[in-house]
Amino acid sequence: MLRGGLRGARWCGGLCSSLCLVGAGRSTLLRRPRALSAAFSSNGGGARSGGAPSAGASDVKPLDGVKILDLTRVLAGPFATMNLGDLGAEVIKVERPGAGDDTRAWGPPFAGTESVYFLSVNRNKKSIAINMKDSKGAKLIRELAAVSDVFVENYVPGKLAEIGLGYEDIQKIAPHIVYCSITGYGQTGPMVQRGGYDSIAAAVSGLMHITGHEDGEPVRAGVAMTDLATGLYTYGAIMAGLLQRYKTGKGLHIDCNLLSSQVACLTHVAANYLNCKIEGKRWGTAHGSIVPYQAFKTKDGYIVVGAGNDQQFVTVCKILNLPEVSKDSRYKTNTLRVENRKELIDILSTRFSEKATIEWLQLFEGSGVPYGPINNMQQVFSDPQVLHNGLVMKMDHPTAGRIAVPGPGVRYSDFAMSHPKPPPLVGQHTVEILKGTLGYEDDAIEELLRTGAVAQHEVR
């Protein structure tokens, strides 16, 4: 049974879910993390800026003390919550007993028995295995929501409401909650009941229509960019939701979806159509509005060069020893270069094919013109800048051993996102969470385990 301490708890407002225990004539503040309170000025709103870092600042992260209840699976949601976990949030990942997150079965490759796909987006999380179809399991989700700051889910709209876990249900017991839903197409509309995967959303949103060789078929991007973009939108939206709650004292519902995220990311291609009725098309590695801005085949590989202004174009011509091209009236401005694209690209392509990639890289070094090789994975993770930026995170996993995954793409002056926790096993932290977060006693936990409402993975 639950210890009496959390019964009758009432939320007091703020960036994280401070709880007031109300009962027996007393009201006691349970928690308001120091790190979060210090991040805002006392007059409400406005992030602290300037000044020297406080003592021990490297040990404080922006989301220390924020608890996130994560019901998401696959990529967009887990990517978002992993990024929040990197910033110090406690992420409780809810999984199905046994199978867990769908991506645990996605492979090969596997590291031992663990899907490398799953390992790539689930660090800094705890896993609790709950059978949500069991009424006792759904009750546990509600109890966890009551003591969490954020509730994230990616079920088809209406599915969680059927078991009493929709936004309106959770809002009643946790009015402070920042409840974020991630779907394929949104919470309302004609496509609301469709499931959403990255490839389908990339197709419907038009991304596939503009991706691929100019004369070729539509192509899916090499990674799930629609999912990842949605994950980043979700990450930012949850941060905004926490700030909004700090200002208003109330939680809110956030609607993130793959279609909206990808359409929003069409940027200039969408604007070209909306304002000029210019239909989008595939350009391969090239750009519809900038020339030259593409990959060129060298004697032994490829180099990508982008001349974003007229001076950079003159420099490109100088490096290629084509001074006459920079003086040609057909190529004087970017607009003219776009109009005369084919002739110019033919000239540049012929010259690039005469030297090896490394020779061109050496010639472009220090020129001020953006350039680079097309690297494979081995080359990426031996690149000196990638290594300098600390983009590889290594962890000791309980069954897979030493693993490495790509780390966060952002660095901060006042704290380091180091010492990550490895991705969890299914239900690895079930008992820990039931005891430490909800205050369940051993006999109650044993009953939940016996009936299959929860499961605990025993690490051997």
Side-chain angles (χ1 to χ4, degrees):
M1 59 185 293
L2 272 171
R3 291 192 180 109
L6 288 178
R7 287 180 176 171
R10 176 167 55 83
W11 184 74
C12 294
L15 192 61
C16 69
S17 57
S18 300
L19 294 173
C20 282
L21 300 185
V22 180
R26 62 190 177 93
S27 177
T28 305
L29 185 66
L30 224 178
R31 66 183 177 95
R32 181 185 296 275
R34 172 178 52 82
L36 288 168
S37 297
F40 293 85
S41 59
S42 60
N43 59 359
R48 182 179 61 187
S49 62
S54 60
S58 61
D59 297 327
V60 176
K61 292 183 180 179
L63 296 184
D64 282 347
V66 170
K67 193 184 301 292
I68 296 174
L69 187 59
D70 180 9
L71 276 67
T72 67
R73 304 139 296 157
V74 187
L75 182 55
F79 185 62
T81 56
M82 179 183 70
N83 278 280
L84 295 165
D86 285 339
L87 294 180
E90 179 187 0
V91 180
I92 297 175
K93 183 177 180 69
V94 178
E95 300 190 75
R96 292 173 296 167
D101 189 311
D102 294 4
T103 60
R104 289 186 182 272
W106 288 11
F110 295 93
T113 58
E114 304 301 318
S115 162
V116 173
Y117 194 115
F118 176 85
L119 296 177
S120 72
V121 290
N122 282 287
R123 65 176 174 266
N124 289 325
K125 300 177 185 180
K126 297 177 180 178
S127 173
I128 182 170
I130 299 178
N131 179 6
M132 293 194 299
K133 295 180 180 180
D134 186 312
S135 60
K136 294 186 290 294
K139 178 175 176 286
L140 287 174
I141 300 293
R142 286 189 286 272
E143 290 173 356
L144 285 168
V147 295
S148 295
D149 302 285
V150 179
F151 186 114
V152 197
E153 56 89 9
N154 64 343
Y155 287 81
V156 172
K159 287 296 182 183
L160 288 184
E162 292 174 3
I163 54 175
L165 299 176
Y167 172 62
E168 289 77 11
D169 304 302
I170 300 301
Q171 185 189 36
K172 291 174 184 175
I173 58 173
H176 65 278
I177 205 78
V178 174
Y179 189 114
C180 183
S181 298
I182 306 171
T183 59
Y185 303 97
Q187 293 296 302
T188 58
M191 297 166 70
V192 67
Q193 289 302 311
R194 292 189 191 179
Y197 271 141
D198 172 270
S199 290
I200 291 84
V204 175
S205 69
L207 178 62
M208 278 194 186
H209 176 72
I210 60 173
T211 304
H213 191 275
E214 185 174 358
D215 300 318
E217 296 181 351
V219 171
R220 174 185 175 273
V223 292
M225 286 309 304
T226 301
D227 266 344
L228 294 171
T230 305
L232 290 174
Y233 267 115
T234 300
Y235 165 70
I238 287 171
M239 298 284 271
L242 290 169
L243 288 168
Q244 178 74 353
R245 188 180 74 187
Y246 179 81
K247 294 179 177 182
T248 66
K250 299 186 298 182
L252 74 164
H253 187 213
I254 298 171
D255 172 7
C256 292
N257 65 84
L258 303 182
L259 178 65
S260 295
S261 295
Q262 188 55 68
V263 171
C265 287
L266 293 176
T267 58
H268 71 282
V269 176
N272 290 347
Y273 174 77
L274 293 172
N275 293 283
C276 306
K277 300 305 176 191
I278 297 174
E279 181 56 77
K281 60 174 290 187
R282 293 183 283 282
W283 286 104
T285 65
H287 194 291
S289 301
I290 308 170
V291 174
Y293 191 102
Q294 66 180 76
F296 292 94
K297 189 170 178 57
T298 66
K299 187 178 286 187
D300 62 348
Y302 293 90
I303 184 173
V304 179
V305 174
N309 58 53
D310 296 336
Q311 183 55 52
Q312 288 180 346
F313 175 67
V314 171
T315 303
V316 170
C317 292
K318 182 178 179 181
I319 293 170
L320 271 60
N321 196 23
L322 294 171
E324 70 282 2
V325 174
S326 66
K327 297 173 184 176
D328 193 315
S329 61
R330 294 173 297 171
Y331 312 131
K332 280 289 185 180
T333 67
N334 181 67
T335 300
L336 291 168
R337 292 192 291 275
V338 171
E339 291 174 358
N340 297 285
R341 177 193 302 267
K342 186 180 186 308
E343 298 88 340
L344 176 57
I345 295 303
D346 285 346
I347 295 169
L348 300 181
S349 296
T350 298
R351 182 54 54 91
F352 274 113
S353 69
E354 296 173 359
K355 295 182 186 293
T357 302
I358 187 63
E359 295 179 82
W360 287 121
L361 295 177
Q362 291 169 347
L363 288 168
F364 273 92
E365 179 65 31
S367 67
V369 175
Y371 72 98
I374 295 180
N375 286 334
N376 60 27
M377 290 302 102
Q378 186 277 327
Q379 292 166 327
V380 169
F381 290 105
S382 59
D383 185 285
Q385 191 65 49
V386 171
L387 296 174
H388 173 79
N389 287 357
L391 289 170
V392 178
M393 275 190 161
K394 295 182 179 180
M395 293 159 276
D396 291 315
H397 188 273
T399 62
R402 192 72 166 166
I403 63 170
V405 298
V410 180
R411 294 193 291 179
Y412 301 85
S413 63
D414 280 15
F415 65 93
M417 289 187 281
S418 56
H419 309 297
K421 297 180 179 66
L425 302 170
V426 180
Q428 181 178 341
H429 305 94
T430 297
V431 172
E432 174 188 327
I433 293 166
L434 291 176
K435 281 187 175 181
T437 302
L438 294 182
Y440 271 69
E441 302 285 4
D442 289 343
D443 57 347
I445 294 172
E446 288 172 7
E447 177 64 15
L448 290 169
L449 290 167
R450 186 189 66 78
T451 60
V454 302
Q456 169 70 39
H457 194 294
E458 298 298 337
V459 180
R460 294 180 175 85

